Amino acid sequence: MGTTIRQTAMALILLLVAMAGALPAQEPGCGPLGRFLGRIRHPHGATPATYAPAPLSSTQAAADCDCSGGSDPYGFAAILNRIRASAGLHPLAYDPELSSWASRNNAVQCRRGIGHHVNPSCVQNCGWNYSDVNSVAQGWMDSPGHRQNLLSPSVSRFGLAFGPGQYWTFNAR
């Protein structure tokens, strides 16, 4: 690759990165530029699902989500409580308020990138680019710090949110 082409490509990449900070938060998927930059910043693909039975896909769950109703829209409680039971721990109850906080966290991360946390004084796991709720559960179980949060004996309730973008957040108290 010639020097001029390389310099032009680098200038374009720097311009795209600089523009990423100006993405509006209300765009559902952070737009094509946000998704592209997210893949560059966080290049990790979805892990294969190993927990069965599979609940609704994250896309279906997000479309059907009415977090105000007090029910777990993603089917995560069954997955989480099966994991906790196998570790000899008590089950967690779904908390729509913690899901609301998780949703706010996802919006901040969509705007600023993963690693920015909105945390209402609770245990929190964040994930990006998992294809469904089973995959994010497996990814968190494969990570020692995230696993510790899922298996915390001191929590009694949890909330979960997916989107905007490919962001997942788990909160527990």
Side-chain angles (χ1 to χ4, degrees):
M1 183 182 296
T3 304
T4 304
I5 294 172
R6 191 176 341 204
Q7 289 173 341
T8 302
M10 288 301 292
L12 180 58
I13 289 170
L14 290 173
L15 177 64
L16 289 172
V17 170
M19 289 172 50
L23 291 173
Q26 64 270 19
E27 255 184 29
C30 297
L33 179 60
R35 288 189 299 275
F36 170 74
L37 290 173
R39 287 185 188 107
I40 292 171
R41 288 184 192 147
H42 313 289
H44 101 40
T47 57
T50 60
Y51 299 114
L56 294 173
S57 74
S58 59
T59 306
Q60 290 170 318
D64 299 336
C65 177
D66 177 10
C67 294
S68 63
S71 64
D72 174 12
Y74 305 101
F76 190 69
I79 297 166
L80 176 62
N81 287 329
R82 188 169 45 247
I83 292 168
R84 290 178 61 85
S86 69
L89 296 168
H90 63 275
L92 301 187
Y94 176 77
D95 183 334
E97 181 182 336
L98 289 174
S99 287
S100 178
W101 277 100
S103 185
R104 290 180 203 151
N105 185 71
N106 287 349
V108 169
Q109 291 192 116
C110 186
R111 210 171 45 247
R112 297 183 182 165
I114 202 159
H116 297 277
H117 299 279
V118 175
N119 188 331
S121 301
C122 65
V123 169
Q124 187 175 72
N125 285 353
C126 299
W128 182 80
N129 203 28
Y130 287 98
S131 61
D132 57 46
V133 71
N134 287 305
S135 297
V136 76
Q138 180 65 53
W140 286 334
M141 287 301 290
D142 290 343
S143 165
H146 293 103
R147 178 186 185 93
Q148 181 179 355
N149 288 344
L150 293 177
L151 299 177
S152 173
S154 65
V155 298
S156 61
R157 52 200 169 106
F158 81 95
L160 185 77
F162 172 73
Q166 292 295 311
Y167 293 95
W168 290 89
T169 297
F170 164 84
N171 287 332
R173 278 195 187 144

